[in-house]
Structure formats: structure tokens, C-alpha cells
Amino acid sequence: MHRATDAEDVMAGDIAQPLPGLELVWSGRVPEHAQEAAALAHVLDAEESARLAVFRRPEDRDAFAVAHVTLRRLLGQRLGQAPQDVSIVREPCAHCGGAHGRPYVPGRAVHFSLSHTSGMVMIALASVPVGIDVEIMPSAGTAEDVATQLHPHERAELAALPAGDRTTAFARCWTRKEAMLKAMGVGLNEDVALAYVGSGARPAPQDLWLIADLPADPGYAAAAAVRRPGTL
């Protein structure tokens, strides 16, 4: 597993490899990396720079810059290229065919996924299709409302829990689900009620995907998903 702990290599939090094919998981708090990311914003390509310029709230702009600058630095290290020389293109959208589908490196020498939420960024690099998701822990009311969108078995699992345990279980379920949908390349365009990933201590087994919960800072939940070996 690649370690990203050297200051010259991209300051990072490295997480132990939980899945086959998952090479690196980077985790960082946005405020700790925002100044460095702003200074390195020149490594972004034209599309990324245009997207960065649209943000009006500083916290949103900082999160985007940290996520995308760090991704380019990690990909550059992995591919032996300068961050600004890494080519990132997009697949056609799985739903409308537009040029805004999942981003990838031409040739797919490495697969990647990124997620950011409320001050936290996580990035995964893998040798197989990968998805990662990090979410801030929702309020009990938000978890209860959004849980109505889940698979019927997941809704039943949550309803059977003591009220004090439901928010954590919901966050665990939601990050698993979003990580797998990202790995599939469909994201939240897919009906989240269709796939059953479970809300218990272990993710529910999938035919084509392996899912693992990831350690995260207090107040956050995270998960990753990779394509099961031998199913490509």
C-alpha cells in the first residue's frame, strides 16, 4: 500500500488497506490544507479552474481546491507525472450520455474516487474501479427522514434499533451505498432503494463489489467499495 505521510509527498492521513486493489486512502481536514491548495491551484486544468471560480462561499471553494489539488498530486506521484500534466477526462453520463460522467485517467492506469463534506476530504486510488464516500454525521431528524429512501430491509434494520443507535447505523449504511454507486459510475442518479448494503456491523455481500467501512475522524462516517477481483 502506498503511504502518503511524507510532507514532500502530499501531506496526508494514510488509512490501512481494507480491500484488495485499494492502493491508497487519503484523509484530510480542509482547514489544515486550504492554504497549500490555494498556492498550488495552478495545477488544476481549465475545467477544474472554471468550477473552482464558481464557488462563492470560501469553505466550498477551499474544499474543492483541497480535494482536486490533492487528487492531482496523488495521481502525479502514482503515474510519475507532474500534477498539472495528469490528464483527467470524463465518461459519458450513465443516464443522459452527456460529457459529465465519472472522471478517469485515459488508459485507466489507476482508478480513483474522491469525496468531501463539511470540512473533510477523502480520496482513494486503486488498481480496480473504486468509490469512496465520507459524510458528516447527520442529525437524528435528518437520518430518520432520509432513511425512508433506503432499501426496505435497511429501513427495517434501522427501525429495529434503539433510537440512540440509529444515526450511526444510518450513516454507516449511506456511506457504503454511495461508495458502491460511485464505484459503479452511477452515483446518486441510481435509486438508492435498489441496492441492499446493510446497516449492521458488516456490509452485506455483493456479487460484483467489495465494501468496507473506513476509519474516520470523530463526527464523520466513511466507506469504500472496489470491484471484486475476477469480475472485470
Side-chain angles (χ1 to χ4, degrees):
M1 171 142 178
H2 182 91
R3 297 194 62 82
T5 52
D6 191 297
E8 293 182 357
D9 282 331
V10 185
M11 293 182 294
D14 182 52
I15 295 173
Q17 178 181 2
L19 294 168
L22 184 59
E23 298 177 348
L24 176 147
V25 173
W26 187 96
S27 175
R29 292 270 191 172
V30 170
E32 297 174 4
H33 301 279
Q35 184 175 358
E36 181 183 30
L40 293 171
H42 61 274
V43 307
L44 301 177
D45 65 17
E47 179 196 3
E48 292 164 329
S49 297
R51 292 173 64 191
L52 179 64
V54 168
F55 292 108
R56 292 293 173 259
R57 297 201 316 165
E59 56 266 38
D60 294 336
R61 186 167 56 249
D62 288 347
F64 183 92
V66 169
H68 289 265
V69 167
T70 303
L71 173 64
R72 283 191 163 273
R73 296 179 73 189
L74 293 173
L75 288 173
Q77 289 174 12
R78 174 66 168 73
L79 298 170
Q81 300 177 7
Q84 60 269 30
D85 293 337
V86 174
S87 178
I88 299 176
V89 295
R90 287 187 174 271
E91 297 175 345
C93 174
H95 289 266
C96 72
H100 52 263
R102 177 171 53 180
Y104 68 97
V105 173
R108 305 190 192 269
V110 61
H111 297 263
F112 64 87
S113 181
L114 65 81
S115 178
H116 55 83
T117 181
S118 301
M120 177 65 68
V121 171
M122 295 186 80
I123 298 170
L125 302 188
S127 59
V128 293
V130 61
I132 194 168
D133 188 54
V134 59
E135 302 286 346
I136 194 166
M137 284 289 181
S139 67
T142 297
E144 183 176 355
D145 289 344
V146 180
T148 60
Q149 303 174 31
L150 299 177
H151 188 281
H153 292 341
E154 293 161 349
R155 297 200 302 267
E157 290 170 359
L158 293 173
L161 292 173
D165 295 338
R166 290 175 192 160
T167 298
T168 298
F170 165 80
R172 189 163 54 208
C173 177
W174 187 266
T175 55
R176 292 169 182 173
K177 193 178 297 280
E178 189 159 348
M180 187 177 74
L181 294 176
K182 284 183 175 182
M184 293 167 62
V186 296
L188 292 180
N189 290 317
E190 184 81 4
D191 184 350
V192 296
L194 296 179
Y196 171 66
V197 299
S199 62
R202 294 185 178 183
Q206 309 294 317
D207 290 338
L208 299 180
W209 303 95
L210 297 172
I211 305 172
D213 300 326
L214 298 177
D217 283 8
Y220 294 86
V226 298
R227 185 84 177 195
R228 185 181 291 275
T231 64
L232 294 177

